[in-house]
Coordinates of all heavy atoms in Angstrom, one line a residue:
L2 N 2.0 1.3 0.8 CA 2.9 2.4 0.7 C 3.5 2.6 -0.6 O 3.7 3.7 -1.1 CB 4.0 2.3 1.8 CG 3.5 2.5 3.3 CD1 4.7 2.3 4.2 CD2 2.9 3.9 3.4
D3 N 3.8 1.4 -1.3 CA 4.4 1.5 -2.7 C 3.4 2.2 -3.6 O 3.9 3.0 -4.5 CB 4.8 0.1 -3.2 CG 6.0 -0.5 -2.5 OD1 6.8 0.3 -2.0 OD2 6.1 -1.7 -2.4
Q4 N 2.2 1.9 -3.5 CA 1.2 2.5 -4.4 C 1.0 4.0 -4.1 O 1.0 4.8 -5.0 CB -0.2 1.8 -4.3 CG -0.2 0.4 -4.9 CD 0.3 -0.6 -3.9 OE1 0.5 -0.3 -2.7 NE2 0.5 -1.8 -4.4
A5 N 1.0 4.4 -2.8 CA 1.0 5.8 -2.5 C 2.2 6.5 -2.9 O 2.2 7.7 -3.4 CB 0.7 5.9 -1.0
L6 N 3.4 5.8 -2.8 CA 4.6 6.4 -3.2 C 4.6 6.8 -4.7 O 5.0 7.9 -5.1 CB 5.8 5.4 -2.9 CG 7.2 5.9 -3.2 CD1 8.2 5.3 -2.2 CD2 7.6 5.5 -4.6
E7 N 4.1 5.9 -5.5 CA 4.0 6.1 -6.9 C 3.1 7.3 -7.2 O 3.5 8.2 -8.0 CB 3.4 4.9 -7.6 CG 3.2 5.0 -9.1 CD 4.4 5.2 -9.9 OE1 5.5 4.7 -9.5 OE2 4.3 5.8 -11.0
V8 N 2.0 7.5 -6.5 CA 1.1 8.6 -6.7 C 1.8 9.9 -6.3 O 1.8 10.9 -7.1 CB -0.2 8.4 -5.9 CG1 -1.0 9.7 -6.0 CG2 -1.0 7.2 -6.5
F9 N 2.4 10.0 -5.1 CA 3.1 11.2 -4.7 C 4.2 11.5 -5.6 O 4.5 12.7 -5.9 CB 3.5 11.0 -3.3 CG 2.4 11.2 -2.2 CD1 2.2 10.3 -1.3 CD2 1.6 12.4 -2.2 CE1 1.2 10.4 -0.3 CE2 0.7 12.6 -1.2 CZ 0.4 11.6 -0.3
W10 N 5.0 10.5 -6.0 CA 6.2 10.8 -6.8 C 5.8 11.3 -8.2 O 6.4 12.3 -8.7 CB 6.9 9.5 -7.0 CG 8.4 9.6 -7.4 CD1 9.0 10.6 -8.0 CD2 9.3 8.5 -7.4 NE1 10.3 10.3 -8.2 CE2 10.6 9.0 -7.9 CE3 9.3 7.2 -6.9 CZ2 11.7 8.3 -7.9 CZ3 10.5 6.5 -7.0 CH2 11.7 7.0 -7.5
R11 N 4.7 10.8 -8.7 CA 4.2 11.2 -10.1 C 3.5 12.6 -10.0 O 3.8 13.4 -10.9 CB 3.3 10.1 -10.6 CG 2.9 10.3 -12.0 CD 2.1 9.1 -12.6 NE 1.3 8.4 -11.7 CZ 0.0 8.7 -11.4 NH1 -0.5 9.7 -11.9 NH2 -0.6 7.9 -10.5
L12 N 2.7 12.8 -9.0 CA 1.9 14.0 -9.0 C 2.4 15.1 -8.0 O 1.9 16.2 -8.1 CB 0.4 13.6 -8.6 CG -0.3 12.6 -9.5 CD1 -1.6 12.3 -9.0 CD2 -0.4 13.2 -10.9
G13 N 3.3 14.7 -7.1 CA 3.7 15.7 -6.1 C 2.7 15.7 -4.9 O 1.6 15.2 -5.0
Y14 N 3.1 16.3 -3.8 CA 2.3 16.3 -2.7 C 1.0 17.1 -2.9 O -0.1 16.6 -2.7 CB 3.0 17.0 -1.4 CG 2.1 17.1 -0.2 CD1 1.8 15.9 0.5 CD2 1.5 18.3 0.1 CE1 0.9 16.0 1.6 CE2 0.7 18.4 1.2 CZ 0.4 17.2 1.9 OH -0.5 17.3 3.0
E15 N 1.1 18.3 -3.4 CA -0.1 19.1 -3.7 C -1.0 18.6 -4.8 O -2.2 18.7 -4.8 CB 0.3 20.6 -3.9 CG 0.7 21.3 -2.7 CD 1.0 22.8 -2.9 OE1 1.6 23.1 -3.9 OE2 0.6 23.6 -2.0
G16 N -0.3 18.0 -5.8 CA -1.1 17.4 -6.9 C -1.9 16.2 -6.7 O -2.9 15.9 -7.3
A17 N -1.4 15.4 -5.7 CA -2.0 14.1 -5.4 C -3.3 14.4 -4.5 O -3.2 15.0 -3.5 CB -1.1 13.2 -4.6
T18 N -4.4 13.9 -5.0 CA -5.6 14.1 -4.2 C -5.9 12.8 -3.4 O -5.3 11.8 -3.6 CB -6.8 14.3 -5.1 OG1 -7.0 13.1 -5.9 CG2 -6.6 15.5 -6.1
V19 N -6.8 13.0 -2.4 CA -7.2 11.8 -1.6 C -7.8 10.8 -2.5 O -7.6 9.6 -2.4 CB -8.1 12.2 -0.4 CG1 -8.7 11.0 0.3 CG2 -7.3 13.1 0.6
A20 N -8.5 11.2 -3.5 CA -9.2 10.3 -4.5 C -8.1 9.5 -5.2 O -8.2 8.3 -5.4 CB -10.1 11.0 -5.4
D21 N -7.0 10.2 -5.6 CA -5.9 9.5 -6.3 C -5.3 8.5 -5.4 O -5.0 7.3 -5.8 CB -4.8 10.5 -6.7 CG -5.2 11.5 -7.7 OD1 -6.0 11.2 -8.7 OD2 -4.7 12.7 -7.6
L22 N -5.1 8.8 -4.1 CA -4.5 7.9 -3.2 C -5.3 6.7 -2.8 O -4.8 5.6 -2.8 CB -4.1 8.7 -1.9 CG -3.0 9.8 -2.2 CD1 -2.9 10.7 -1.0 CD2 -1.6 9.1 -2.4
T23 N -6.6 7.0 -2.7 CA -7.5 5.8 -2.3 C -7.7 4.9 -3.6 O -7.7 3.7 -3.4 CB -8.9 6.3 -1.9 OG1 -9.5 7.2 -2.8 CG2 -8.8 7.1 -0.5
G24 N -7.7 5.5 -4.8 CA -7.8 4.7 -6.0 C -6.6 3.8 -6.2 O -6.7 2.7 -6.6
A25 N -5.4 4.3 -5.8 CA -4.2 3.6 -6.0 C -4.0 2.5 -4.9 O -3.4 1.4 -5.2 CB -3.0 4.5 -6.0
T26 N -4.3 2.9 -3.7 CA -4.1 2.0 -2.6 C -5.2 1.0 -2.3 O -5.0 0.0 -1.6 CB -3.8 2.8 -1.3 OG1 -5.0 3.5 -0.9 CG2 -2.6 3.7 -1.5

Side-chain angles (χ1 to χ4, degrees):
L2 287 177
D3 287 332
Q4 290 82 11
L6 184 146
E7 175 68 25
V8 171
F9 281 126
W10 200 343
R11 187 169 35 84
L12 300 176
Y14 176 74
E15 288 184 317
T18 65
V19 171
D21 294 324
L22 294 164
T23 57
T26 63

